[in-house]
Amino acid sequence: MIKVGIAGADSPAAGELMRLCQQHPDIDIVTAYAPRLAGRPVSEVHHGFIGEERVLFSANFDATALDCVFLLQPLYSDSDWMKLMADRQELKLILFPNIVDEAPVFNLAPVYGLSEMNRKPLVRGARVATVPRAVASAALTALYPLANHLMLAGDLNIEVEAPADIISQASLAGARKEILNELQRVQTSFSGQITLTPRQSQSPRAMRLSMAIPCATRLDEVFKIYDSIYDDHNFSFMISRRVDTAEVEGTNKIVISLWHSADDTLNIDVVADPRMRGSAGEALHVMNLLFGLHEKTGLSLPATAWRGSENGDVKTKL
């Protein structure tokens, strides 16, 4: 069993992660670190855990007893992590996007954890990975095949419909930086500006990105380009019609709709669940890759529905 510790276990994203971990056949949650709630069952904060009272919040975090740490809050210094990773060679560290800017561990050379772009580095010895932000995960999955074929030119204007926390100013700024960095790494000739235009979605689990780019390549050839990269990936799917966000809610899937306008414009529409992609689902996916497990382990079934009311406060269950 993979012994897992979760730092920041009282956050909503941690609740979603723990629900996924509970159905993962190879995970044992050893530490749910949330000092202010030490000794309390996680069911007092996260729904779906009644009957799972063996999982208690803890004030202690001993990384030397763990195989994998999910970091949702800053913990330890950079030098401390360096020593821990050196002393415990099997330890893996997965950083959630909310702390990447707060507590960077650059000396540990984290791999950007978007499997559609970096699956090989993740399965070939990586020990530290960062979870992409939700908007960046969806945008890069949609654009990577085009960048890989040097097909991006000019500015990118992306409409983003997502929950309020996903389209906050800070979150979008971080996503824009990730998108630009990763696209330029793949297509060094890309020098366009990236504009993210937000609109709040009605569902906490619904995210849709829409964009249009110049592309004279025939649509069947465009699909071949995407298939050549994603045909052996388990969570990325291409279709030729726009779909409802219900297709992906509660799953780790990204569905990319592609169609041409009459003026040689490629329309790209992307739907994903931002509580899974760019959060709990993507983090668990990264863990599977770091430990050499099948990508879909623990992710084949939808996660328990996200409750927008979860905010880390102790709640009375009736």
Side-chain angles (χ1 to χ4, degrees), residues 34-103:
R36 71 186 181 92
L37 299 174
R40 309 287 290 274
V42 300
S43 59
E44 292 190 13
V45 173
H46 303 307
H47 75 276
F49 278 91
I50 293 177
E52 304 291 344
E53 270 70 19
R54 70 176 187 82
V55 183
L56 304 177
F57 290 114
S58 173
N60 300 312
F61 197 93
D62 181 9
T64 63
L66 303 172
D67 300 311
C68 181
V69 173
F70 292 99
L71 206 58
L72 292 92
Q73 71 173 58
L75 185 70
Y76 304 152
S77 66
D78 189 64
S79 58
D80 286 338
W81 279 118
M82 292 288 289
K83 186 177 186 306
L84 278 167
M85 301 295 284
D87 292 343
R88 186 167 173 79
Q89 291 295 316
E90 60 270 41
L91 181 63
K92 308 289 196 302
L93 178 60
I94 299 172
L95 310 175
F96 269 63
N98 62 298
I99 70 155
V100 170
D101 295 331
E102 268 182 67

Side-chain angles (χ1 to χ4, degrees), residues 142-212:
L143 293 169
Y144 170 57
L146 301 176
N148 195 55
H149 283 71
L150 309 181
M151 295 172 67
L152 296 180
D155 298 337
L156 290 173
N157 299 300
I158 305 174
E159 295 181 3
V160 180
E161 183 178 354
D165 59 311
I166 303 299
I167 57 173
S168 70
Q169 185 174 356
S171 183
L172 286 183
R176 185 185 297 107
K177 181 179 178 181
E178 290 179 25
I179 296 167
L180 184 60
N181 288 347
E182 293 302 308
L183 288 181
Q184 290 182 335
R185 181 177 63 84
V186 176
Q187 182 181 330
T188 56
S189 62
F190 176 71
S191 59
Q193 298 295 313
I194 296 175
T195 301
L196 302 177
T197 304
R199 182 173 71 252
Q200 186 170 342
S201 66
Q202 298 303 306
S203 168
R205 300 202 76 114
M207 177 174 65
R208 181 186 299 276
L209 274 63
S210 302
M211 63 197 93

